[in-house]
Amino acid sequence: MPAIKEHISLKPFNTFGMEVYCDYFTEITSETDFIELLENGIYQTQRHLILGGGSNVLLTRDFKGMVIRNTIKGIEIVKKEDSTVHVKAAAGEVWHDFVMWTIAKGLGGLENLSLIPGCVGASPMQNIGAYGVEIKDVFVSLEALHMVTGEKRVFNREACEFGYRESVFKRKFKDQYFITSVTFELSERHQLSTTYGAIQNELQAMGITSPGIRDVSDAVIRIRRSKLPDPAEMGNAGSFFKNPEVPADQYTSLKTHYPDLVGYPLENGHYKLAAGWLIEQCGLKGHLHNGAAVHDKQALVLVNKAGCSGQDVFDLSTHVLKTVHEKFGVELEREVNII
Ligand code: FAD
Ligand code: EPU
């Protein structure tokens, strides 16, 4: 039975660095640990919050219940056919370390997703994405245990209902499954994805004309370091809002008023707008509220600049939502999980 501790500070377990406490805290290092936990009376009577790296949560108050940290480790090649390789990674593996492992093995597919904080187990939750790639592009399946029955279920790509920063685990199956591993299809003869303008510019700046997977990873790391705040230096959870989707007529009308508007067409005829641009145009870059701030290099990121509370960040996000709506008539949606 995994040890259960009482009244634990969650500060080391969330990248916003919020000092809140949970009533109970446990770490799961194997599937057996979790199955045993199901028999525990405290587990059975408390609310649960699963955490990996805590890099996509805003903790606004003490958590009245049990925090379950997934630290199950292990990476294995489970299938190899010609140059196609299936790699299964346990949920508690650190995402970036896993990406580096695949690159060291010469396996392409995850290089554009280098340096995203957090753990493997959370990657399907919001179908993590960056620089033109989302995990759904290389996803095979995941294994998860039901939070009440402990029954193991394998979800293939279709069953996960992936969308932009979305999956079935944020909707129909919210709080119902404990993800234990994820399997990806990678390739030894990988077709690189370098269409994202910033990658091309960075590779050029690095003097690289025929890049390999490691070059693309290096370029992505350089871009990310140049604009995203390092949680070790300034608390944050990456983009706080999603980039909004608007109908074509609204896009056209906005573009007429604001010729510099940043947006691009989607397959469904709608347009995706850059929320960072909208927020910046409202004059909110660097805006401060009780120590919570809109990041001065990337307006889509809210930061804990001076020991603020989760409620301060939440209130700042409400101010951003309201201001963007008043100026542009566009509704932003929070991307970070508010607890
Ligand atoms: P946590 O924050 O611990 O959890 C996130 C959610 O998943 C919670 O609801 C939690 O309950 C649930 N969960 C976690 N593990 C499990 C599990 N094993 N089973 C079931 N539920 C689980 N995201 C992107 O998509 N693209 C980016 O480019 C990106 N850049 C970022 C940059 C910075 C600087 C930061 C701080 C964050 C960034 N993020 C980005 C957000 C974040 O890194 C990802 O969402 C990441 O996948 C979260 O992983 P985590 O382990 O920290 O999840
Ligand atoms: N922009 C501004 N001002 C800003 C920020 C952005 O004008 O303050 C403009 C940029 O000039 C650019 C456009 O907005 O033209 C897009 O900016 P960027 O390339 O930085 O990406 P983003 O749309 O802000 C998204 C993801 C990131 C991901 C990057 C790279 C979302 C919500 N965010 O950000 O994901 O790393 O693209 O692919 O989709 C995250 O989810 O936490 C995250 C960091």
Side-chain angles (χ1 to χ4, degrees):
M1 175 73 65
I4 296 173
K5 298 179 192 163
E6 288 184 37
H7 194 63
I8 294 293
S9 165
L10 295 177
K11 191 169 181 182
F13 305 116
N14 75 100
T15 59
F16 258 117
M18 294 308 169
E19 174 80 293
V20 299
Y21 285 78
C22 63
D23 290 343
Y24 302 97
F25 180 92
T26 191
E27 278 196 4
I28 298 297
T29 58
S30 66
E31 287 191 8
T32 314
D33 266 3
F34 187 73
I35 298 298
E36 285 177 8
L37 184 68
L38 296 182
E39 301 297 319
N40 181 280
I42 301 174
Y43 175 87
Q44 289 169 352
T45 52
Q46 295 293 316
R47 292 166 62 216
H48 311 120
L49 169 64
I50 303 170
L51 281 185
S55 65
N56 207 25
V57 289
L58 176 67
L59 303 172
T60 55
R61 55 177 73 98
D62 288 344
F63 186 73
K64 299 279 160 216
M66 180 184 278
V67 167
I68 305 166
R69 191 150 178 264
N70 187 323
T71 57
I72 307 176
K73 300 283 186 198
I75 304 175
E76 58 175 322
I77 290 176
V78 288
K79 183 173 156 188
K80 184 167 181 337
E81 254 174 44
D82 302 325
S83 56
T84 302
V85 179
H86 286 195
V87 183
K88 179 175 171 179
E93 289 287 343
V94 171
W95 175 261
H96 181 65
D97 294 350
F98 170 55
V99 174
M100 291 297 107
W101 184 97
T102 63
I103 291 172
K105 291 263 186 272
L107 300 172
L110 296 177
E111 59 281 357
N112 295 48
L113 304 175
S114 298
L115 212 61
I116 295 181
C119 295
V120 167
S123 63
M125 293 295 297
Q126 67 158 10
N127 176 29
I128 56 168
Y131 302 100
V133 173
E134 292 179 327
I135 65 149
K136 73 168 170 44
D137 304 329
V138 286
F139 180 91
V140 177
S141 62
L142 64 79
E143 290 179 352
L145 301 173
H146 193 269
M147 297 283 288
V148 178
T149 63
E151 190 188 339
K152 183 183 277 192
R153 180 162 167 192
V154 178
F155 289 79
N156 63 16
R157 181 171 16 198
E158 227 177 23
C160 290
E161 297 176 17
F162 288 128
Y164 164 62
R165 297 295 191 270
E166 276 300 343
S167 78
V168 75
F169 303 102
K170 284 179 80 174
R171 294 177 176 269
K172 192 166 69 189
F173 292 143
K174 190 171 162 50
D175 297 329
Q176 289 189 37
Y177 284 95
F178 183 74
I179 296 168
T180 53
S181 71
V182 188
T183 300
F184 299 94
E185 180 169 296
L186 306 176
S187 174
E188 289 172 346
R189 273 189 280 140
H190 175 62
Q191 191 72 37
L192 293 174
S193 171
T194 54
T195 46
Y196 206 94
I199 296 188
Q200 287 175 4
N201 296 341
E202 197 63 41
L203 287 169
Q204 209 176 1
M206 289 158 70
I208 291 167
T209 44
S210 48
I213 51 176
R214 190 175 289 281
D215 300 318
V216 173
S217 168
D218 287 347
V220 166
I221 290 171
R222 285 165 63 123
I223 301 165
R224 295 182 69 94
R225 288 209 169 119
S226 73
K227 56 179 161 189
L228 289 167
D230 179 352
E233 286 158 20
M234 204 189 298
N236 76 94
S239 300
F240 201 87
F241 306 95
K242 294 182 185 180
N243 284 325
E245 193 178 314
V246 296
D249 53 352
Q250 190 178 3
Y251 172 78
T252 311
S253 142
L254 282 168
K255 191 79 180 164
T256 312
H257 286 89
Y258 306 98
D260 296 337
L261 177 78
V262 182
Y264 61 91
L266 298 170
E267 277 172 10
N268 63 7
H270 288 197
Y271 280 75
K272 179 75 73 72
L273 303 181
W277 186 89
L278 298 172
I279 298 168
E280 182 172 354
Q281 295 307 307
C282 290
L284 289 170
K285 224 173 189 178
H287 182 83
L288 201 62
H289 169 78
N290 290 348
V294 177
H295 187 46
D296 49 16
K297 285 195 200 149
Q298 227 296 3
L300 202 45
V301 178
L302 302 187
V303 295
N304 174 0
K305 204 161 182 184
C308 67
S309 68
Q311 190 61 45
D312 292 329
V313 175
F314 186 80
D315 293 345
L316 174 62
S317 73
T318 304
H319 177 66
V320 171
L321 291 175
K322 189 165 163 278
T323 311
V324 168
H325 187 252
E326 278 168 8
K327 184 171 170 75
F328 295 106
V330 174
E331 298 267 5
L332 294 185
E333 192 188 333
R334 293 182 183 89
E335 190 242 65
V336 170
N337 299 284
I338 311 296
I339 312 289

